[in-house]
Amino acid sequence: DAGVIQSPRHEVTEMGQEVTLRCKPISGHDYLFWYRQTMMRGLELLIYFNNNVPIDDSGMPEDRFSAKMPNASFSTLKIQPSEPRDSAVYFCASSFRDHEQFFGPGTRLTVL
Amino acid sequence: AQSVTQLDSHVSVSEGTPVLLRCNYSSSYSPSLFWYVQHPNKGLQLLLKYTSAATLVKGINGFEAEFKKSETSFHLTKPSAHMSDAAEYFCVVKRGNMLTFGGGTRLMVKP
């Protein structure tokens, strides 16, 4: 298995632009998680899905952030419009039931 | 509510000497505890986990951790550091599907 796949690995954009981050979970996993890592706040859970349904989005910072999971093998995290303070590393993770979460390599986002 | 405190943001050791990374947790129920490692520009990898079985948990790469309920601690140790152990380490408490991360400890290994 290739593990959790995220794309792009790096994204540089200008303030105000729309950013879309992508994640392919491990096949057979029924949970998918989006995390953000910053120097100031460490690792934070943004949202997680179970069987493609959002369960808890209380960590999503504001309405500029949205996440979807149209099917079991794909999820997106969208920021529109992006701001410099959104610069961070965004991780996707997946798990089977409440077992170990497997993390992707992350997307490093820089908003200028 | 649950929380995790990693007592040291940076730890520096010499290669071949023991490693101790400290973690204290707060949880209102029996916790599941984990240690994850993050190498530079990489994702997080599970080192070991405690889920109320043996209190001494062995993980990958020679790491182990001991769950001490009386001290609410879950410190990570390794008898002899290797250069490849240089990374950031996260202590994590889990409730259901929610992970709460500590602030991380950056381990530096000197030759």
Side-chain angles (χ1 to χ4, degrees):
Chain A
D1 197 321
V4 176
I5 299 172
Q6 291 187 247
S7 65
R9 292 293 310 276
H10 302 271
E11 176 81 35
V12 180
T13 190
E14 293 189 344
M15 183 174 62
Q17 296 298 305
E18 177 180 296
V19 174
T20 299
L21 311 181
R22 297 173 176 81
C23 176
K24 177 179 169 57
I26 292 173
S27 177
H29 283 189
D30 53 351
Y31 282 87
L32 184 140
F33 306 82
W34 282 101
Y35 291 89
R36 178 171 69 174
Q37 184 179 34
T38 62
M39 291 291 292
M40 292 294 294
R41 300 174 66 91
L43 268 155
E44 308 171 276
L45 176 66
L46 300 178
I47 184 171
Y48 77 93
F49 296 82
N50 176 223
N51 292 323
N52 314 337
V53 176
I55 303 300
D56 188 332
D57 66 354
S58 59
M60 296 284 262
E62 49 196 277
D63 292 345
R64 298 184 296 106
F65 286 70
S66 62
K68 294 182 180 179
M69 192 165 185
N71 57 62
S73 59
F74 183 65
S75 177
T76 60
L77 178 68
K78 187 175 293 187
I79 308 173
Q80 165 65 18
S82 58
E83 296 182 3
R85 61 193 167 117
D86 302 331
S87 297
V89 181
Y90 291 82
F91 288 102
C92 177
S94 70
S95 72
F96 175 65
R97 297 183 184 171
D98 65 346
H99 297 170
E100 174 192 351
Q101 291 185 22
F102 290 82
F103 284 77
T107 295
R108 183 174 296 276
L109 173 65
T110 303
V111 183
L112 303 174
Chain B
Q2 54 192 34
S3 65
V4 179
T5 302
Q6 291 182 241
L7 299 165
D8 307 292
S9 59
H10 293 80
V11 169
S12 181
V13 301
S14 297
E15 191 174 20
T17 64
V19 175
L20 170 64
L21 305 184
R22 298 182 295 165
C23 171
N24 285 103
Y25 69 91
S26 170
S27 178
S28 53
Y29 49 90
S30 241
S32 292
L33 294 161
F34 302 78
W35 277 96
Y36 278 84
V37 60
Q38 183 180 25
H39 287 92
N41 300 313
K42 302 283 187 185
L44 286 86
Q45 180 185 18
L46 181 68
L47 267 182
L48 51 80
K49 60 183 176 183
Y50 166 78
T51 54
S52 76
T55 57
L56 183 63
V57 182
K58 293 188 184 300
I60 61 172
N61 300 334
F63 283 94
E64 60 182 38
E66 186 171 8
F67 173 71
K68 292 187 177 181
K69 186 175 180 179
S70 60
E71 298 176 11
T72 61
S73 69
F74 190 57
H75 300 336
L76 181 70
T77 60
K78 183 173 180 178
S80 175
H82 191 273
M83 295 297 291
S84 61
D85 295 328
E88 184 138 21
Y89 293 78
F90 293 93
C91 184
V92 181
V93 62
K94 180 173 180 282
R95 180 181 185 184
N97 288 293
M98 306 283 285
L99 299 184
T100 300
F101 287 80
T105 298
R106 184 167 298 279
L107 175 65
M108 294 167 282
V109 183
K110 298 176 290 187

